[in-house]
């Protein structure tokens, strides 16, 4: 695994008891116990790193400790191992202990962006949101291209309902990774929460445009929307419905113009058709006839 990418994954780590994590644990344990990882070269060490995280996901700290010790012996003072050690501390030690550990690492090497982000994560866990924002802001002043740092900063602002600051942070992520539709979707959903409906609609449509396969054998209108595309179409429907039923919502703090009435009606009809197509495919039964019921039916489906 490429070092920079691995550090980014470690910096963003959050415990999750997913099926994928359980599979990593189940397949990795025999390799650890038999020592078979050693014969797999670089891939073997990646397996041990992933196994350590999966073990922490499922409370198997003894397994995580074995993995970290193996990696520490093989790669002493590796930035990846140092961050992994900190994540292990976060699992069972008081957060103050992990915070001191990250502070010590940053004193030795302030260029380790992954450690900086782990420190911000710990501060957030401790309820010290202002300090977490300060740490992330300082990080991004130094390492502007840390896209995940901007996303995490936006998430903090979002959790505090500071939507304007969240949108500002997300705008940096869009500039740095303009090819990633999930960032556009996140921006659109945040704009909707900020009640800038014209801006939200514009970004939901951008997400649809990025994820609908115009180059495929089947026309987008004949496909069944799913994943990010489905979530974006739901956003389009929410926006058009609000703009039609609540004309005041066309006011935009970003000065984004709302579509003309004829275009708005066409978008509303198209988004309804897309949602009905997806509902029929998912539920194998006719979708609700009323718009409000159709929208309500999709909220749990796209979470």
């Amino acid at each position: 695994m490429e070092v920079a990418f691995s550090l980014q994954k470690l910096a963003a780590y959050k415990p999750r008891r997913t099926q994928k994590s359980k599979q990593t644990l189940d397949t990795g344990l025999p390799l650890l116990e038999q020592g078979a990882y050693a014969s797999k070269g670089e891939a073997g060490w990646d397996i041990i790193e992933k196994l350590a995280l999966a073990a922490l996901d499922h409370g198997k700290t003894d397994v995580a400790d074995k993995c970290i010790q193996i990696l520490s012996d093989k790669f002493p003072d590796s930035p990846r191992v140092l961050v992994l050690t900190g994540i292990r501390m976060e699992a069972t030690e008081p957060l103050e202990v992990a915070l001191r550990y990250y502070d010590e690492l940053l004193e030795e090497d302030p260029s380790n962006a992954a450690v900086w982000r782990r420190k911000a994560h710990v501060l957030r866990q401790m309820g010290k949101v202002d300090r977490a924002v300060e740490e992330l802001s300082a990080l991004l002043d130094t390492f502007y291209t840390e896209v995940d740092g901007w996303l995490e900063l936006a998430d903090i602002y979002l959790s505090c309902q500071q939507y304007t600051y969240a949108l500002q942070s997300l705008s940096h992520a869009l500039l740095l990774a303009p090819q990633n539709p999930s960032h556009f979707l996140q921006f659109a959903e945040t704009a909707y929460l900020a009640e800038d409906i014209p801006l939200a609609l514009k970004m939901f449509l951008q997400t649809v445009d990025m994820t609908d396969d115009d180059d495929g054998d089947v026309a987008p209108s004949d496909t069944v929307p799913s994943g990010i595309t489905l979530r974006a179409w739901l956003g389009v429907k929410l926006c058009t419905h609000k703009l039609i039923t609540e004309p005041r919502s066309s006011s935009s703090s970003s000065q984004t113009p709302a579509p003309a009435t004829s275009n708005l009606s066409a978008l509303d009809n198209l988004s309804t058709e897309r949602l009905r197509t997806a509902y029929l495919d998912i539920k194998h039964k006719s979708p609700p006839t009323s718009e409000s019921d159709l929208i309500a039916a999709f909220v749990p489906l796209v979470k």
Side-chain angles (χ1 to χ4, degrees):
M1 187 184 298
E2 200 268 323
V3 174
F5 179 70
S6 178
L7 279 170
Q8 288 175 358
K9 292 193 70 174
L10 290 170
Y13 169 78
K14 292 179 182 178
R16 293 186 178 90
R17 290 197 172 197
T18 62
Q19 186 60 36
K20 182 178 179 180
S21 177
K22 184 65 166 60
Q23 290 174 350
T24 299
L25 184 63
D26 291 342
T27 57
L29 269 175
L31 295 175
L32 175 66
E33 293 168 352
Q34 299 164 14
Y37 60 86
S39 63
K40 295 183 177 293
E42 183 66 26
W45 307 117
D46 287 340
I47 288 171
I48 294 300
E49 182 179 292
K50 291 176 182 176
L51 178 58
L53 295 174
L56 292 175
D57 285 343
H58 295 274
K60 303 288 187 180
T61 53
D62 56 330
V63 175
D65 288 339
K66 290 179 183 177
C67 293
I68 293 171
Q69 187 60 58
I70 289 170
L71 293 170
S72 183
D73 291 342
K74 178 66 177 179
F75 308 103
D77 299 322
S78 160
R80 286 164 64 171
V81 177
L82 293 175
V83 175
L84 190 56
T85 300
I87 292 172
R88 167 64 181 88
M89 287 183 182
E90 293 175 38
T92 58
E93 299 293 330
L95 292 175
E96 291 80 0
V97 174
L99 186 61
R100 284 197 298 271
Y101 171 75
Y102 290 135
D103 278 333
E104 291 170 1
L105 291 181
L106 288 172
E107 285 181 13
E108 296 176 8
D109 181 14
S111 68
N112 193 329
V115 173
W116 223 334
R117 285 184 55 205
R118 291 312 309 176
K119 180 183 177 181
H121 175 75
V122 169
L123 288 168
R124 190 177 180 184
Q125 292 288 98
M126 295 170 71
K128 299 181 179 181
V129 176
D130 288 345
R131 282 194 60 195
V133 169
E134 290 175 3
E135 289 293 332
L136 281 172
S137 298
L139 163 67
L140 294 166
D141 282 343
T142 306
F143 303 101
Y144 174 76
T145 57
E146 280 284 320
V147 175
D148 288 335
W150 288 111
L151 295 175
E152 189 165 352
L153 184 59
D155 187 61
I156 292 177
Y157 284 133
L158 187 61
S159 69
C160 300
Q161 298 183 337
Q162 296 184 14
Y163 302 124
T164 299
Y165 290 125
L167 288 171
Q168 289 174 355
S169 299
L170 288 170
S171 66
H172 291 286
L174 297 187
L175 285 171
L176 293 167
Q179 74 288 354
N180 192 320
S182 64
H183 300 343
F184 282 82
L185 178 64
Q186 187 175 348
F187 189 100
E189 291 175 340
T190 304
Y192 187 86
L193 291 172
E195 298 186 344
D196 191 336
I197 307 305
L199 177 61
L201 177 58
K202 176 183 177 181
M203 300 307 281
F204 280 128
L205 288 170
Q206 178 67 39
T207 307
V208 168
D209 187 56
M210 295 175 73
T211 55
D212 260 345
D213 186 9
D214 292 332
D215 298 325
D217 296 330
V218 180
S221 58
D222 295 329
T223 62
V224 177
S226 61
I228 290 178
T229 309
L230 175 57
R231 191 159 172 165
W233 274 120
L234 176 60
V236 172
K237 180 59 186 179
L238 287 169
C239 290
T240 56
H241 181 72
K242 196 173 187 69
L243 288 168
I244 290 171
T245 58
E246 301 176 30
R248 290 183 182 179
S249 63
S250 62
S251 175
S252 169
S253 58
S254 64
Q255 307 301 313
T256 304
T261 303
S262 58
N263 291 338
L264 186 60
S265 178
L267 284 172
D268 187 63
N269 291 335
L270 178 58
S271 61
T272 299
E273 183 277 325
R274 296 281 73 206
L275 293 182
R276 290 176 64 84
T277 297
Y279 188 94
L280 183 61
D281 182 71
I282 295 170
K283 294 291 190 176
H284 304 294
K285 62 181 181 180
S286 298
T289 54
S290 77
E291 290 197 346
S292 57
D293 288 344
L294 180 64
I295 292 171
F298 267 97
V299 172
L301 295 178
V302 298
K303 284 185 176 179

